[in-house]
Amino acid sequence: MKPGKCFKHAFAMVLHSKLRSWLTIIGIVIGVAAVVAIVSIGEGMQRSLNERLGGLGADIITISPGFSKGSNMVALRGGVHMHGTEGGSGPQATENEAVLTRSDVQVLRGIPDILQIDPNIRGNVEVSYLGKTGTVSITGVDQRVWPRITTSKVKEGRTLDPTDQNVIVIGGRLASSYFGQPIGINKIITIEGSAYRVVGILEDQSNQIYIPIMMAYQILEGKKTDQYDSISVKIREDRLDETIAEIESRLMTSRHLTEKNKDFSVTSSKQLQQTMSETLNSMSAFLIAIAAVSLIVGAVGIANTMFTSVLEKTKQIGIMKAIGARNRDIMLIFLTNSALIGLVGGVLGVIAGIMLSSAMPALMGSLPLGRGGTAISMSSVIMALSVSITVGIAAGLIPAYQASRLKPVDALRYE
Amino acid sequence: MDRSVLKFEDVWKIYGMGEIEVPALKGVSVQINQGDFIAIIGASGSGKSTMMNLIGCLDTPSKGSVYLKSKNISKLGESDLAAFRGKTIGFIFQQYNLIPSMTALENVLLPMEFLEYNSEESLSRANQLLRTVGLADKINNRPGQLSGGQQQRVAIARSLACDPEIILADEPTGSLDSVTGKEVLQILIKLWKEQGKTLIIVTHDINIAKNAETIIELKDGQITSISKLRGKSK
Ligand SMILES: Nc1ncnc2c1ncn2[C@@H]1O[C@H](COP(=O)(O)OP(=O)(O)OP(=O)(O)O)[C@@H](O)[C@H]1O
Ligand SMILES: [Mg+2]
């Protein structure tokens, strides 16, 4: 039989057992949809991670007291700063034990590959605007350096400049919605009882306030002048690893520390990006593995349907053989049938997966990486379709072989 | 000149049922020539259908040889046998055995699709065959929408699709009332006369068998008599 005719008969078979075909197809749809959704959400997160952290370039390094990477991850996200510590010791203890000071900045100045140094302090402050009050995080920055180091772009107004005193730059979300009504340029907001003028609004979606570091010392209680919560430095881009090593060894020497009692950490956005995307990758690999299981269940469903169908059509197979069908004709018809079920399941699964993944950002809007949306690549669609056809064929292989091997006499006797 | 289309040489067919062996044919030898009209009769269980399956290459003998057009069917591979069967033999069954999901036309087209005939020629041939059996107005009906006699006529049209030399009919009138049965038989006899086909009918109805040239009688898997009713008188 010619392949075209085979396809015609296989197609007719799918149509003739509509309910059963559809039920089988649903099994595949679920599996494929899950895989497609997870892959595209994963790719979307990866992309948004790259957008957020990739913008930082490979040339920014952050030095912070304590030895925990977690604190920096949160800080880079532009959210609330946490005094991250290793489990066990409280935040207070860490702050007392390890601080970064002017002398550390001096050490950093001695490293030739460091181009800019921006020491920061952070804290949470009470802020009010037009009668409404809230607590937000504030970062004191060296306004001569910060504009050149920060990755946040100014959306409105200007950034801080060296002569600034009682002015602030605020995050996009704080400006647009935090107080119920937008804060514009040159508006005055009250921080811990004193008035500050907004000179710039950032593009990012944070609630951060940036203020010249000298002002921050006045606002934030318990911060001593010349002590910092973190130091950001800009380095020569091509010397990331060497510079990190250099910073670590010089700071350890100056602070009289060894690897064992090291009380600061040096992180770069690039390293962070790598760590996070590794985490993201292993997470989506895990989820895909789970989704793949449901695809396997779908395949078992196809096999089951095909076995039933072969049994039900045994007599017809006998008739076909009596009128000239060869084993491979029968085999091809049944294989095409199961491949078709796989294909239809794949197509619908891809559509469902795309819908599912585009609904995702709305569902997880509060997660920072969820806002990046999803990415559906042509290659993943083609992958999904070829996988589902392959699954269909693989699941139909044994039933189709069984059908093709039926002896005509036996098949004809079957009732 | 060898006019033999079919030859059985000491053919045995033994069905194995677990420990017990059931011999359905015990050393049958017979020769059927081109253009013959043979009726095979016998009591139930005498081995008629078994013999039919061997003639139609649906099964192979346990012992002995079956030659179809001087080819030993035991020596043919599956794929060759299927194609050979499709080309050489047209089957007509007691239960019609049409594909229920296909229309009359599609049922008649099916054998030609398996033998990869040209689509357009197949279509016109199928239409013409259905006209020959008097079903021109029913070509798009499914078997479920046809009477038994009409279904059997579709089956006849289907058996002729690939212009086979032999028509094998196992109890073709067994499921039909006597009037319809007679009509179907007349169609078969007409084909035999006009197209020179070899016609082999299995029946237990002696009145039907009497239409044939030769009656082969089976009993307990053996041929008990071969009686020539009339010579080649066309
Ligand atoms: N597949 C089989 N397995 C075992 N025994 C079988 C098989 N097919 C037929 N037989 C046995 O072989 C013998 C001949 O059977 P066959 O079907 O040829 O009889 P028949 O002459 O066609 O009878 P009927 O007129 O009832 O159709 C019977 O005894 C039957 O039980
Ligand atoms: Mg029988």
Side-chain angles (χ1 to χ4, degrees):
Chain A
M1 187 174 259
K2 289 179 184 148
K5 299 279 188 218
C6 260
F7 184 84
K8 190 189 85 181
H9 289 293
F11 192 70
M13 255 162 73
V14 174
L15 288 185
H16 264 280
S17 48
K18 277 198 200 76
L19 182 62
R20 197 190 317 144
S21 299
W22 278 119
L23 290 177
T24 316
I25 285 168
I26 287 172
I28 294 297
V29 170
I30 292 171
V32 171
V35 172
V36 167
I38 289 165
V39 168
S40 67
I41 290 167
E43 275 178 22
M45 283 186 162
Q46 191 76 52
R47 199 178 57 186
S48 102
L49 183 70
N50 291 344
E51 270 167 18
R52 274 153 186 273
L53 297 179
L56 303 181
D59 57 349
I60 309 289
I61 290 175
T62 306
I63 300 118
S64 33
F67 194 66
S68 161
K69 286 185 175 176
S71 61
N72 296 299
M73 278 169 70
V74 177
L76 267 160
R77 243 168 62 182
V80 183
H81 178 71
M82 297 191 327
H83 302 280
T85 55
E86 307 236 52
S89 52
Q92 218 60 41
T94 313
E95 258 172 90
N96 289 344
E97 278 162 13
V99 278
L100 295 168
T101 62
R102 177 172 285 276
S103 64
D104 296 309
V105 174
Q106 290 307 335
V107 172
L108 294 175
R109 283 200 209 289
I111 300 173
D113 285 327
I114 293 183
L115 308 174
Q116 309 280 349
I117 300 174
D118 174 23
N120 304 139
I121 62 169
R122 283 191 193 82
N124 291 329
V125 288
E126 191 146 292
V127 177
S128 55
Y129 177 67
L130 294 178
K132 287 194 178 142
T133 304
T135 301
V136 299
S137 148
I138 190 164
T139 305
V141 297
D142 183 340
Q143 74 261 43
R144 290 163 302 178
V145 181
W146 178 70
R148 275 174 282 173
I149 276 194
T150 184
T151 53
S152 308
K153 295 206 174 58
V154 176
K155 184 169 67 181
E156 242 182 286
R158 62 172 177 84
T159 180
L160 295 171
D161 75 33
T163 57
D164 277 336
Q165 294 231 331
N166 291 322
V167 302
I168 52 173
V169 169
I170 61 175
R173 177 111 57 112
L174 186 67
S176 62
S177 54
Y178 188 78
F179 287 104
Q181 47 188 311
I183 305 172
I185 294 296
N186 289 330
K187 290 280 189 279
I188 305 295
I189 66 176
T190 310
I191 302 173
E192 298 286 345
S194 313
Y196 294 86
R197 188 163 58 90
V198 175
V199 294
I201 295 167
L202 300 174
E203 265 181 4
D204 67 7
Q205 287 299 309
S206 74
N207 288 331
Q208 276 283 337
I209 296 178
Y210 296 93
I211 189 165
I213 191 162
M214 294 321 289
M215 308 306 299
Y217 280 121
Q218 292 172 18
I219 296 169
L220 292 169
E221 273 174 40
K223 302 280 179 190
K224 296 197 196 90
T225 318
D226 295 342
Q227 288 193 357
Y228 313 115
D229 289 327
S230 70
I231 302 170
S232 296
V233 298
K234 187 178 180 129
I235 57 152
R236 284 220 197 102
E237 196 159 339
D238 52 339
R239 309 217 3 114
L240 180 69
D241 294 336
E242 296 91 326
T243 313
I244 289 177
E246 177 93 33
I247 292 171
E248 294 205 330
S249 79
R250 289 224 195 172
L251 281 182
M252 284 201 292
T253 315
S254 75
R255 293 168 76 95
H256 309 292
L257 298 170
T258 62
E259 235 6 283
K260 279 212 179 107
N261 59 1
K262 189 174 154 195
D263 63 353
F264 64 94
S265 51
V266 181
T267 47
S268 73
S269 60
K270 196 175 173 187
Q271 277 181 339
L272 189 62
Q273 191 183 355
Q274 273 166 4
T275 320
M276 283 185 76
S277 70
E278 274 162 25
T279 316
L280 209 57
N281 281 344
S282 54
M283 201 173 78
S284 33
F286 175 68
L287 290 175
I288 288 170
I290 291 175
V293 169
S294 69
L295 201 58
I296 291 171
V297 173
V300 172
I302 294 189
N304 191 18
T305 300
M306 294 310 295
F307 275 120
T308 315
S309 173
V310 168
L311 210 62
E312 184 189 83
K313 295 197 161 62
T314 300
K315 178 121 194 191
Q316 291 187 29
I317 293 166
I319 298 169
M320 288 183 176
K321 289 198 158 183
I323 62 177
R326 284 167 296 187
N327 286 4
R328 65 150 195 257
D329 295 326
I330 304 291
M331 177 109 183
L332 215 58
I333 290 176
F334 279 88
L335 267 190
T336 314
N337 185 344
S338 64
L340 265 175
I341 290 179
L343 176 67
V344 174
V347 170
L348 295 180
V350 166
I351 294 170
I354 290 172
M355 284 181 353
L356 202 67
S357 61
S358 55
M360 242 344 134
L363 296 178
M364 39 193 266
S366 57
L367 279 175
L369 289 179
R371 282 185 235 121
T374 53
I376 288 138
S377 57
M378 203 56 209
S379 64
S380 69
V381 168
I382 291 170
M383 260 280 280
L385 289 186
S386 41
V387 163
S388 54
I389 294 177
T390 313
V391 161
I393 291 175
L397 216 51
I398 297 173
Y401 181 73
Q402 211 179 55
S404 77
R405 295 303 299 254
L406 282 172
K407 278 179 68 183
V409 245
D410 298 338
L412 274 170
R413 288 169 68 95
Y414 188 90
E415 283 307 328
Chain B
M1 189 185 71
D2 186 14
R3 293 198 304 125
S4 159
V5 279
L6 188 83
K7 203 155 98 194
F8 273 44
E9 273 177 7
D10 189 30
V11 170
W12 288 69
K13 182 69 198 181
I14 298 161
Y15 292 109
M17 302 222 317
E19 297 288 288
I20 326 151
E21 293 192 329
V22 183
L25 287 184
K26 304 176 205 165
V28 170
S29 297
V30 72
Q31 179 177 330
I32 295 172
N33 292 329
Q34 190 172 355
D36 282 358
F37 179 1
I38 312 279
I40 300 173
I41 59 168
S44 186
S46 57
K48 303 186 296 292
S49 296
T50 304
M51 190 167 166
M52 206 68 181
N53 291 337
L54 290 171
I55 297 173
C57 319
L58 294 173
D59 210 349
T60 47
S62 312
K63 226 161 58 183
S65 318
V66 175
Y67 294 94
L68 188 62
K69 292 182 38 179
S70 65
K71 274 189 192 161
N72 188 340
I73 62 163
S74 307
K75 300 239 158 72
L76 285 177
E78 176 278 324
S79 166
D80 291 332
L81 190 62
F84 186 52
R85 173 166 63 225
K87 250 181 295 195
T88 318
I89 294 163
F91 285 95
I92 297 165
F93 304 93
Q94 177 176 358
Q95 295 302 329
Y96 327 128
N97 282 354
L98 300 173
I99 308 280
S101 57
M102 296 184 188
T103 64
L105 186 67
E106 287 166 340
N107 266 288
V108 178
L109 281 170
L110 197 55
M112 297 187 270
E113 288 176 352
F114 284 124
L115 290 182
E116 304 192 353
Y117 281 27
N118 173 297
S119 292
E120 279 158 46
E121 283 169 25
S122 303
L123 194 63
S124 68
R125 179 162 175 81
N127 271 306
Q128 181 227 313
L129 285 169
L130 283 166
R131 217 176 304 130
T132 316
V133 297
L135 287 176
D137 55 338
K138 299 270 193 269
I139 56 167
N140 289 320
N141 288 32
R142 285 183 218 292
Q145 303 162 325
L146 295 169
S147 74
Q150 289 168 335
Q151 287 187 59
Q152 197 58 302
R153 282 189 274 162
V154 174
I156 293 172
R158 181 181 65 184
S159 75
L160 296 170
C162 299
D163 198 20
E165 285 152 57
I166 304 170
I167 295 195
L168 268 185
D170 192 352
E171 307 269 12
T173 60
S175 302
L176 303 171
D177 63 63
S178 60
V179 179
T180 324
K182 218 167 252 164
E183 278 171 21
V184 165
L185 192 65
Q186 288 314 313
I187 296 176
L188 290 174
I189 292 171
K190 199 170 154 218
L191 285 169
W192 167 64
K193 281 193 175 140
E194 290 176 3
Q195 301 190 13
K197 307 264 186 224
T198 307
L199 181 59
I200 303 173
I201 292 182
V202 167
T203 180
H204 55 253
D205 184 343
I206 189 68
N207 292 321
I208 287 174
K210 275 178 183 158
N211 291 288
E213 291 178 311
T214 309
I215 297 181
I216 296 176
E217 196 179 347
L218 275 180
K219 196 178 170 199
D220 290 337
Q222 284 174 315
I223 294 178
T224 49
S225 74
I226 299 181
S227 33
K228 271 208 172 317
L229 299 184
R230 55 187 81 86
K232 195 84 188 170
S233 60
K234 276 201 239 177

